[in-house]
Amino acid sequence: MDNKNYFAVLMAGGVGSRFWPVSKKSYPKQFHDMLGTGETLIQKTFSRLEKLIPAENIYILTNELYDDLVREQLPKVQDHQIVLEPSMNNTAPCILLSSLKVQKENPDAVMIVAPSDHWIEDEDAFIENVQTTFDACQRDQSLLMTLGIQPTFPHTGYGYIQYQEQEATPIKKVTNFTEKPDYATAKSFLQQGNYVWNAGIFIWSVKAITAAFQNCLPDMYSLFAEGIKDYNTATEKQFIEENYSKSENISIDYGIMEKSEHVSVLPAKFDWNDLGSWGSLYDKLEKDEAKNVVVNAQSYIENSTGNIIRTTKGKTVVLKDLNDYIVVENEEVLLICPKKDEQEIKVLRNSVKEKFGDELI
């Protein structure tokens, strides 16, 4: 298989604040072995994509803070494959920057843009779906594609994609995007049957995505197009540092996907979890007879059910009469919180910052 035109961009700049205290600004979740598999999330994502895409064609989008972590955990990656954001301006600017870098290297490239911290169990099905979308984007140089996840329940924490039911092919024309609906709306989406979860995984040719930026976000395109002569050279870093913060703070969803008339979706064949919270991690990990999940720790558990425990390696945890709790710690912080209140962890994190300072968050 000739895949020299296949490229990937891993988005690895997030802080993962809902996984605090394990995920900290200085060491976020994508660089942790959250599942206890022996690989960090970014390592797992890289190796999954490497089944289809040459390692030298996989770019990493991340914040300047994480340059050393990327190099340490992904030793195959060369300097030009690491794209450092000097400021957090959402996903549209960093995707445009990486797309222009790829286009300069290979104008015939097709590329996948994917988060670095998602859980996908059936990697063969994932690769099969990506191949299908790559083939479609090579045939149609205007196509912008996304992978949609078949919803299993009316989740209110995910965005939804509606597609045209009459399409006879596996690839469906997108008619609408909906951000995080309420429960009744999400339930109606499942009943209608032509909605999928938005996983934030995008596929397109570099010709298609750069043209979409020219049409939908022309000012941003003009700003970054000025640096084409610098990309993949020694002057790239200076150009980015001088210009990146001038870009609009906008997501690829709002800036491009919801505006373009060329968007299609492939309903995916693989199971997926965005690993966005301790509860989502609990759902995916193996449980003992009392439905407790234990990562890294050795434990003695008595009359306790439904808990998730994650500690530094070698820690001994003793639980008695505790049900449905999150018990997690790193070297400085121990968090004990009911699972039902996991969405409050962001608030707790901010309160700790106000009282003790930035070093704990």
Side-chain angles (χ1 to χ4, degrees), residues 177-192:
F177 288 86
T178 303
E179 278 298 310
K180 298 180 180 178
D182 60 29
Y183 182 80
T185 304
K187 192 173 179 181
S188 74
F189 287 170
L190 265 67
Q191 290 169 343
Q192 291 177 59

Side-chain angles (χ1 to χ4, degrees), residues 81-282:
Q81 294 171 251
I82 302 174
V83 184
L84 300 177
E85 306 165 72
S87 59
M88 294 184 181
N89 286 20
N90 219 312
T91 52
C94 61
I95 288 174
L96 174 57
L97 171 60
S98 60
S99 299
L100 289 170
K101 278 174 60 69
V102 170
Q103 186 175 42
K104 184 176 180 182
E105 182 173 338
N106 185 336
D108 296 319
V110 290
M111 57 190 284
I112 178 171
V113 178
S116 60
D117 52 6
H118 287 180
W119 175 91
I120 293 171
E121 185 170 10
D122 189 346
E123 296 191 343
D124 291 339
F126 170 78
I127 293 300
E128 181 185 337
N129 283 170
V130 174
Q131 183 69 66
T132 299
T133 59
F134 273 12
D135 292 343
C137 291
Q138 284 181 315
R139 288 192 303 267
D140 182 349
Q141 294 284 307
S142 67
L143 193 61
L144 304 176
M145 286 214 61
T146 183
L147 290 175
I149 307 302
Q150 303 284 3
T152 52
F153 67 100
H155 203 301
T156 58
Y158 295 153
Y160 285 72
I161 301 170
Q162 183 185 25
Y163 58 83
Q164 292 181 3
E165 290 184 275
Q166 64 267 31
E167 295 284 333
T169 62
I171 294 170
K172 313 292 186 183
K173 178 80 172 173
V174 169
T175 56
N176 194 39
F177 288 86
T178 303
E179 278 298 310
K180 298 180 180 178
D182 60 29
Y183 182 80
T185 304
K187 192 173 179 181
S188 74
F189 287 170
L190 265 67
Q191 290 169 343
Q192 291 177 59
N194 63 325
Y195 282 82
V196 287
W197 288 334
N198 185 353
I201 301 172
F202 308 104
I203 305 95
W204 40 56
S205 68
V206 290
K207 293 174 184 174
I209 190 58
T210 53
F213 270 97
Q214 285 178 283
N215 292 331
C216 300
L217 293 172
D219 291 344
M220 187 182 294
Y221 180 83
S222 296
L223 173 66
F224 283 101
E226 290 177 9
I228 288 174
K229 66 183 184 305
D230 301 297
Y231 298 147
N232 306 331
T233 74
T235 58
E236 176 181 298
K237 187 171 189 240
Q238 181 180 349
F239 175 84
I240 294 173
E241 287 177 349
E242 292 175 356
N243 292 281
Y244 194 89
S245 61
K246 300 175 188 175
S247 61
E248 183 181 356
N249 187 326
I250 188 170
S251 72
I252 194 73
D253 299 84
Y254 286 123
I256 301 294
M257 303 301 280
E258 294 183 16
K259 294 179 180 178
S260 174
E261 298 177 353
H262 303 287
V263 181
S264 292
V265 62
L266 176 67
K269 295 180 179 178
F270 54 86
D271 290 332
W272 167 91
N273 190 301
D274 76 338
L275 293 184
S277 65
W278 289 111
S280 65
L281 187 65
Y282 172 86

Side-chain angles (χ1 to χ4, degrees), residues 3-7 52-54 57 110 131 134-135 138:
N3 57 3
K4 67 180 187 301
N5 293 340
Y6 292 177
F7 283 75
L52 182 64
I53 297 161
N57 289 357
V110 290
Q131 183 69 66
F134 273 12
D135 292 343
Q138 284 181 315

